[in-house]
Amino acid sequence: MIERRACPTCGVPAGSPCRTRNGIVAIKYHTPRLLLAPELRDVVEVDIAQSGRPWRAPPRVGYACDPADPSPQLDALRAAHCGAVFTDLVGPRVKARPELARAMATAPGATLVVHELRRLARNSAELLATAAALGAADIRIDLLTGPLAGRHDPAGEFFAVLAAAAELDRDHVRATTRAGQQEAATRGRPRLFDDELLATARALRDSGVPVPEIATRLTVRSDRHPSVASVYRALAEPVAVTP
């Protein structure tokens, strides 16, 4: 007898699968329970004590994404007992991933297995959209490697935290952009003509040199000549009067 007591976390009786806060079957037991018998870890059918009916593990569907060589991912997915594996050979700039859509449509209620989180999505916004689609199809996620390795419920707390982090990122970007715009507006456009260059332009004008020729005689930043329009604007500035 592997289980003799109810789960101390969710309170289900012995012989019953653990439940999440929403009442659905949990991805894994909250306490070791079945893991106490190593020979039962990888089997797909286990006789549950009270019901007498076998429990069938949900199908495991693998997904890989790499524009060059997905073979390391495919090897890991096969070792993780994935029945079907879908592969997108697209780079980070390609938004559409048809094989991911096929994987999600093929096995509602299954477990989607990916090598690492970045193969499932490339940014927080895409991850949240994918998680919402997985949750709607009742598909769980199994990450094989990385700091977040393990099984996750797309409707659980893990993705709620990611959603909050993504919103913080967006707020930070918006705040930084506004601050930069306000600083630029306060500072104003940098002057092309300093006082010395402006005095030279005025002296040439007063001596009868045409403005187009003045532009060719002056040199501003990066050893470039100012445009004729810039010279006209500079000469139109009022002359500062020294008290």
Side-chain angles (χ1 to χ4, degrees):
M1 185 73 176
I2 300 170
E3 305 174 44
R4 296 179 182 274
R5 298 179 179 83
C7 176
T9 301
C10 62
V12 298
S16 299
C18 290
R19 299 275 175 174
T20 66
R21 294 180 180 178
N22 298 327
I24 62 176
V25 175
I27 296 175
K28 60 182 178 181
Y29 280 84
H30 295 133
T31 55
R33 303 173 86 186
L34 290 180
L35 295 181
L36 295 175
E39 64 273 13
L40 297 179
R41 291 179 181 175
D42 298 324
V43 298
V44 296
E45 292 189 3
V46 178
D47 288 329
I48 296 179
Q50 294 180 349
S51 68
R53 294 181 301 173
W55 171 81
R56 293 182 179 274
R60 293 170 64 80
V61 177
Y63 174 71
C65 182
D66 195 296
D69 182 18
S71 56
Q73 297 178 57
L74 298 177
D75 293 340
L77 293 174
R78 295 189 188 98
H81 309 293
C82 294
V85 177
F86 297 84
T87 306
D88 274 318
L89 302 176
V90 297
R93 295 186 178 182
V94 179
K95 187 174 182 179
R97 292 189 290 172
E99 290 302 301
L100 177 59
R102 283 188 59 203
M104 294 167 58
T106 299
T111 297
L112 183 66
V113 185
V114 293
H115 189 252
E116 53 189 332
L117 188 61
R118 69 188 181 97
R119 305 301 178 180
L120 188 63
R122 291 156 289 193
N123 53 60
S124 57
E126 188 175 72
L127 178 61
L128 294 177
T130 303
L134 291 170
D138 193 28
I139 296 176
R140 304 297 183 267
I141 301 172
D142 190 356
L143 304 177
L144 299 181
T145 61
L148 300 175
R151 297 183 181 181
H152 302 279
D153 181 357
E157 295 180 358
F158 170 71
F159 284 93
V161 171
L162 285 180
E167 184 62 28
L168 286 176
D169 286 343
R170 287 191 290 268
D171 289 343
H172 177 70
V173 171
R174 286 193 291 263
T176 303
T177 301
R178 286 196 299 268
Q181 291 171 343
Q182 292 172 357
E183 181 181 354
T186 302
R187 185 172 59 248
R189 187 174 181 178
R191 291 184 62 190
L192 183 64
F193 283 73
D194 57 21
D195 293 341
E196 181 180 354
L197 197 61
L198 181 57
T200 302
R202 285 173 176 161
L204 290 172
R205 180 196 58 187
D206 294 342
S207 64
V209 178
V211 170
E213 186 178 344
I214 294 175
T216 61
R217 293 190 184 187
L218 300 178
T219 302
V220 292
R221 293 187 299 269
S222 303
D223 296 328
R224 296 171 58 186
H225 300 297
S227 66
V228 175
S230 297
V231 176
Y232 273 117
R233 283 194 297 269
L235 294 175
E237 294 181 5
V239 179
V241 179
T242 304

